[in-house]
Amino acid sequence: QQFSRMNSSGQTTNLKDMLQSKIDDLEKQVLSRVNSLEEGKFNPRNESEERGKIESTLTSLHQRITDLEKGQKDNRPPDRFQLTFPLRTNYMYAKVKKSLPEMYAFSVCMWMKSNASPGMGTPFSYAVPGQANELVLIEWGNNPMEILINDKVAKLPFVINDGKWHHICVTWTTRDGVWEAYQDGTQTGSGENLAPYHPIKPQGVLVLGQEQDTLGGGFDATQAFVGELAHFNVWDRKLSPGEVYSLATCSTRALAGNVIAWAEANIDIYGGATKWTFEACRQLN
């Protein structure tokens, strides 16, 4: 019985790999079609029709993978998943279903993996009415990774663009705009005067994988995140170094975000982004 279980899970994995490689090929074709569209080889009406066809094809293919994963999914805890953004596009993203509240301090932590260049793009962006860059994490072009708060910028000392899983955290308090950056459980940098005395505003849109130029949209492919992302959690306070270390080492003491907790039910995906099973620390590289 155990052998047959192992056998069927092996078949599922092979099927999934085959489907995924088919999707990768299709996405390359799709990307070249999108590029032709953007070079103006079609008129605008055809362009939106083509884009619609492309996106629905991708969505149905990814639905097949989701169905294939159902067996695993039914058994997996709601936080054991990752998002994958395989291409630099202006239509592939995930959206967190709830907004951030007004916050006078925060900690944002996540696992991520990317070797995209130049720059891995935008792991997340939070826009509010009147301010598209309320809270953004971005690595664009050859710049270092940056955190933006109300359009003010701090450069972060992360070295993570190596195709391996890394755990990163950024903490901030409005008092004096003090920030700290942690990579793989260790503090790598800190500073102050980042948007001091500016509370993070509520009633916004929180997007994973794209930088917003308008509320919930205005995506630019050159700023899109390419790679994998998991365990995106947000707290309305500054985590202690010990709490950050617990998260990075998957300790049983690790907390879920009290503002945004990583759970499948909290996130919608669009444009061909996919969800896969993920176990932090077991899947390190």
Side-chain angles (χ1 to χ4, degrees):
Q1 194 180 5
Q2 191 180 0
F3 175 76
S4 72
R5 261 209 311 276
M6 281 164 64
N7 207 23
S8 71
S9 83
Q11 284 173 342
T12 303
T13 306
N14 289 345
L15 248 173
K16 202 170 80 177
D17 289 347
M18 277 165 56
L19 262 177
Q20 185 60 42
S21 95
K22 188 177 171 190
I23 280 183
D24 290 344
D25 291 343
L26 275 162
E27 283 179 338
K28 279 174 196 151
Q29 291 171 39
V30 162
L31 195 58
S32 73
R33 282 171 72 190
V34 168
N35 287 340
S36 344
L37 291 175
E38 282 164 357
E39 282 162 20
K41 293 183 184 168
F42 296 89
N43 69 39
R45 214 185 80 204
N46 283 350
E47 183 173 329
S48 60
E49 281 171 18
E50 283 284 317
R51 175 61 60 84
K53 280 184 206 160
I54 287 166
E55 290 193 27
S56 66
T57 307
L58 275 177
T59 304
S60 66
L61 278 164
H62 288 307
Q63 189 55 51
R64 282 165 67 185
I65 282 208
T66 307
D67 294 344
L68 202 57
E69 270 217 308
K70 273 271 192 289
Q72 293 178 45
K73 212 184 237 185
D74 292 342
N75 302 327
R76 79 182 180 210
D79 66 336
R80 285 203 189 151
F81 74 102
Q82 68 179 56
L83 298 178
T84 299
F85 303 93
L87 294 171
R88 221 180 264 288
T89 71
N90 62 356
Y91 55 82
M92 199 179 282
Y93 67 103
K95 189 171 160 188
V96 179
K97 289 182 184 175
K98 61 187 212 180
S99 164
L100 297 178
E102 185 168 69
M103 295 192 296
Y104 295 85
F106 68 73
S107 299
V108 179
C109 299
M110 71 201 84
W111 286 95
M112 65 167 73
K113 177 180 179 178
S114 178
N115 58 2
S117 66
M120 66 172 68
T122 309
F124 78 89
S125 66
Y126 177 66
V128 296
Q131 177 52 281
N133 295 327
E134 184 67 6
L135 177 55
V136 181
L137 185 68
I138 184 168
E139 185 184 77
W140 190 36
N142 293 308
N143 301 312
M145 188 164 269
E146 298 172 335
I147 185 106
L148 279 70
I149 297 175
N150 191 31
D151 247 339
K152 310 297 181 291
V153 183
K155 295 188 184 312
L156 304 175
F158 292 140
V159 184
I160 48 183
N161 200 343
D162 57 4
K164 297 178 179 178
W165 281 104
H166 291 285
H167 187 264
I168 66 160
C169 279
V170 180
T171 71
W172 172 86
T173 56
T174 184
R175 186 189 170 102
D176 296 327
V178 173
W179 61 270
E180 291 171 350
Y182 293 82
Q183 180 175 326
D184 299 324
T186 304
Q187 189 178 324
T188 54
S190 63
E192 56 182 43
N193 225 21
L194 173 59
Y197 304 102
H198 169 85
I200 301 295
K201 291 179 183 162
Q203 267 106 45
V205 176
L206 182 54
V207 162
L208 305 178
Q210 294 282 357
E211 198 273 332
Q212 304 171 64
D213 283 337
T214 56
L215 193 63
F219 304 146
D220 175 347
T222 63
Q223 297 177 325
F225 175 70
V226 181
E228 295 160 73
L229 191 150
H231 288 236
F232 175 85
N233 284 277
V234 182
W235 294 259
D236 58 5
R237 63 182 181 84
K238 182 177 160 178
L239 294 183
S240 71
E243 288 172 322
V244 172
Y245 186 77
S246 292
L247 287 162
T249 53
C250 304
S251 154
T252 50
R253 293 192 301 278
L255 305 161
N258 69 330
V259 171
I260 303 287
W262 186 247
E264 289 200 58
N266 294 347
I267 291 170
D268 289 326
I269 55 175
Y270 299 93
T274 50
K275 289 179 180 176
W276 298 97
T277 299
F278 170 79
E279 287 207 40
C281 296
R282 277 203 196 165
Q283 264 177 251
L284 285 183
N285 321 315

